[in-house]
């Protein structure tokens, strides 16, 4: 098909140019999608604050149980009331000393 190195080189350069144009178009599509996703995220209301939360420490082990409105809520995941009671009573997870979820849940020792 291509008899000389010059013809092969010319074909390869042509192929590269085509691929660069396709890559540029793909990059524009990605940027457009990212802009649309960011716009949708701005319009979406923030997630509701959970009533109860579990703070995780090193190695993702449960560290403290919190109320959802605790000011000391850094690495926390929302949990249900039942999960909070379970963690405090059977799980051996201590209650946050600032927000005192054990008092609100009625599980004081």
């Amino acid at each position: 098909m291509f008899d000389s190195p010059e013809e092969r080189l010319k074909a390869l350069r042509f192929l590269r140019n085509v691929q660069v144009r396709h890559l540029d178009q793909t990059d524009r599509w990605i940027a457009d999608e990212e802009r649309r996703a960011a716009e949708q995220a701005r319009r979406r209301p923030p997630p509701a604050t959970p009533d109860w939360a579990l703070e995780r420490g090193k190695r993702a082990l449960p560290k403290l149980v919190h109320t959802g409105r605790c000011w000391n809520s850094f690495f926390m995941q929302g949990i249900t009331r039942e999960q909070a009671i379970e963690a405090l009573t059977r799980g051996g997870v201590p209650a946050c000393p600032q927000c005192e979820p054990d008092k609100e849940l009625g599980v004081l020792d």
Side-chain angles (χ1 to χ4, degrees), residues 14-89:
F14 173 78
L15 175 61
R16 184 187 184 285
N17 287 335
V18 170
Q19 290 173 330
V20 166
R21 282 194 300 269
H22 286 178
L23 184 58
D24 288 343
Q25 179 62 52
T26 302
D27 287 342
R28 284 192 297 274
W29 289 337
I30 290 170
D32 290 345
E33 278 306 310
E34 288 172 341
R35 277 191 292 277
R36 278 193 281 276
E39 180 62 33
Q40 285 179 346
R42 280 192 295 273
R43 283 190 240 139
R44 204 174 304 131
T49 302
D51 292 332
W52 312 102
L54 184 64
E55 179 181 349
R56 298 212 178 257
K58 292 180 181 177
R59 296 187 190 103
L61 296 174
K63 184 176 177 183
L64 291 173
V65 175
H66 297 268
T67 64
R69 60 188 177 282
C70 183
W71 62 271
N72 194 22
S73 59
F74 191 60
F75 292 109
M76 296 199 311
Q77 73 181 63
I79 57 175
T80 65
R81 176 183 177 83
E82 293 75 23
Q83 289 170 321
I85 292 170
E86 178 77 18
L88 289 168
T89 57

Side-chain angles (χ1 to χ4, degrees), residues 84-85 88-89 101-109:
I85 292 170
L88 289 168
T89 57
D102 50 346
K103 286 183 181 177
E104 281 195 45
L105 290 165
V107 293
L108 286 173
D109 293 330

